[in-house]
Amino acid sequence: MVVEMDCLRAEIAALNPVHHIGRVVEVGRGTLTVKGLSATASLGDQVSITRRGNATMGGEVLQLTRGEVVILPDRSAEGVVIGDRVTLLGEASIAPDSNWIGRVIDPSGNPLDGCTLFRGLTPRPMRAVPPKATERRPLGERLETGVAIFNTLLPIVRGQRIGLFAGSGVGKSTLLADFARGVSADVVVIALIGERGREVREFVDHVLGPEGMKRAVVVTATSDQSPLVRRRCAWTAMAVAEHFRDQGLHVLLLADSITRFAEAHREVALASGEVASLRGYPPSTSHMIMSLCERAGPGTDDVGDITAVFSVLVAGSDMEEPVADILRGVLDGHVVMDRKIAERGRFPAIDLLRSVSRSLPAAATVEENELIGQARRLLGAYDRAEMMIQAGLYTAGSDPMIDAAIKVWPKLDAFLSRPEPDGTDASFLHLAECLISTSREPEST
């Protein structure tokens, strides 16, 4: 009963009996010019546009002049006429609550699963500043993930931020769902940014499943929605994660994908008059991505942490495209998924030699780091000689390291796709078993 009363108070507190009203004076190419709000509106404020027949849609303030404001509506401006009423709603904010766990919501905090959703007591800005750099804790302990490769060769630690670089159809969503179910965390927040509409329910019901939803909040904006809504999806998910972090909890944030977040920002920025310069992206893209990522990570001494996985869509495995390049420089590790590996049936299709976790070597013991180094050396040797091996041009005995790599490669390749419900120690034990037959080989190199 107390909880219900708190929710009711929050709903009442969110009501505002007084609003500033403006009128549409010009309908441009995707934007609206409004008079009557220039003295009260701020850049980024939210508005509600009432069309004839009382149909409403949202929008955001893009430009301010002395007598007019320019607004980008959050859907098609068809049907808007001169004189339509525009209500100023103020700064975009969200008020998460613990009753959001297990729910699917839109970027404005409205439920998408057909059930009532109550707001929390404290509104949070969607574009909050990150914790002060000098007050943050260092990265924390190694996390159990349920996947052998991340328990050993690519460890994830508490508060770490990693990038998942993959093309479409190589198992990215399945890996994210494995993280949602397997990584040790108190709450999981999942942002589905610009996702195909038919795949949202499939991800929630089947890929994530009831077990994954027990501790998850899913924030989604589908590909047919406006760039304002798609961009806001990432900010809302981060604000929800910050809410639970400030309660002292460990939050796992999964954002799929930052590429679509950047594309949505590009549309908004170009509409506001910014010039595209970085392969079609405006200059503000870099800051927009980095400011989002910096909000995740270790918290200060009196709060929890946000461990984050940001996925990036890379066409043709191009790791030099702008979004991938920006993220690589700001994150604590990157995981590259390769289509060729997926095509031969090994999942997760991770290219270990192109992937790195910056939590190493601190996240592993001396003995574990030796195993990791040995596995990487052998996989590297096989990769360099693979063309000769497959063509039958390599002669056994020519290079002891390659001989060892050929011997261990089937077991090691199978290990990279191994689920590991028994924890990190069991994962390293299985890795050692894969390598034990080659323990004498490096001595002769």
Side-chain angles (χ1 to χ4, degrees), residues 379-419:
L379 285 172
Y382 188 90
D383 182 70
R384 290 190 298 273
E386 184 175 13
M387 187 174 294
M388 290 191 301
I389 296 169
Q390 297 297 333
L393 300 176
Y394 177 74
T395 302
S398 301
D399 186 322
M401 178 61 78
I402 295 178
D403 291 340
I406 294 172
K407 185 177 181 179
V408 78
W409 187 84
K411 292 182 180 179
L412 203 51
D413 188 64
F415 173 81
L416 298 180
S417 64
R418 180 187 180 97

Side-chain angles (χ1 to χ4, degrees), residues 37-45 61-70:
L37 297 178
S38 57
T40 53
S42 300
L43 202 63
D45 276 355
V61 176
L62 285 188
Q63 297 177 16
L64 295 169
T65 63
R66 186 176 297 275
E68 299 174 338
V69 300
V70 176

Side-chain angles (χ1 to χ4, degrees), residues 83-344:
D84 278 351
R85 188 177 66 205
V86 179
T87 304
L88 183 65
L89 303 179
E91 181 185 13
S93 63
I94 199 83
D97 189 77
S98 57
N99 72 79
W100 289 20
I101 296 176
R103 305 296 300 277
V104 182
I105 64 172
D106 70 10
S108 297
N110 301 311
L112 295 176
D113 50 13
C115 300
T116 302
L117 184 72
F118 292 104
R119 68 174 62 241
L121 297 175
T122 308
R124 306 186 65 95
M126 289 188 182
R127 301 180 65 175
V129 296
K132 293 182 179 179
T134 55
E135 297 178 1
R136 285 188 148 184
R137 293 189 298 271
L139 295 176
E141 72 278 2
R142 186 167 59 192
L143 299 175
E144 300 288 352
T145 65
V147 184
I149 186 174
F150 291 102
N151 282 352
T152 54
L153 302 166
L154 294 171
I156 300 175
V157 301
R158 180 165 171 153
Q160 187 175 1
R161 302 166 303 183
I162 69 169
L164 182 60
F165 299 80
S168 58
V170 297
K172 170 175 51 65
S173 296
T174 301
L175 180 56
L176 290 174
D178 289 340
F179 284 153
R181 292 189 298 264
V183 173
S184 51
D186 299 311
V187 179
V188 180
V189 179
I190 303 171
L192 300 178
I193 307 164
E195 191 62 81
R196 290 179 287 270
R198 67 172 182 80
E199 292 187 348
V200 172
R201 184 168 182 179
E202 179 182 350
F203 179 84
V204 171
D205 292 348
H206 303 295
V207 180
L208 190 59
E211 195 64 30
M213 280 299 295
K214 284 182 180 179
R215 57 173 186 163
V217 180
V218 178
V219 185
T220 182
T222 53
S223 59
D224 62 306
Q225 294 180 280
S226 82
L228 285 177
V229 177
R230 285 182 273 127
R231 187 177 66 165
R232 195 182 307 147
C233 182
W235 291 334
T236 297
M238 187 64 75
V240 173
E242 289 168 334
H243 167 78
F244 291 109
R245 177 204 63 192
D246 291 350
Q247 293 181 348
L249 301 177
H250 175 216
V251 183
L252 174 65
L253 173 67
L254 306 174
D256 184 20
S257 70
I258 296 301
T259 302
R260 297 194 187 108
F261 169 73
E263 290 170 347
H265 172 69
R266 175 173 58 188
E267 294 182 52
V268 176
L270 293 179
S272 68
E274 196 172 349
V275 179
S277 59
L278 185 64
R279 293 199 196 178
Y281 288 96
S284 61
T285 302
S286 179
H287 173 72
M288 193 65 58
I289 292 174
M290 290 189 287
S291 62
L292 175 73
C293 294
E294 281 297 330
R295 291 167 63 182
T300 55
D301 291 336
D302 56 342
V303 300
D305 305 299
I306 300 175
T307 302
V309 179
F310 300 101
S311 77
V312 184
L313 291 169
V314 285
S317 300
D318 180 13
M319 293 293 289
E320 304 305 320
E321 64 91 23
V323 177
D325 194 45
I326 292 167
L327 270 174
R328 277 208 320 275
V330 74
L331 299 181
D332 308 311
H334 54 272
V335 177
V336 179
M337 301 185 74
D338 193 292
R339 186 174 303 279
K340 292 180 180 178
I341 297 176
E343 287 172 349
R344 63 178 173 83

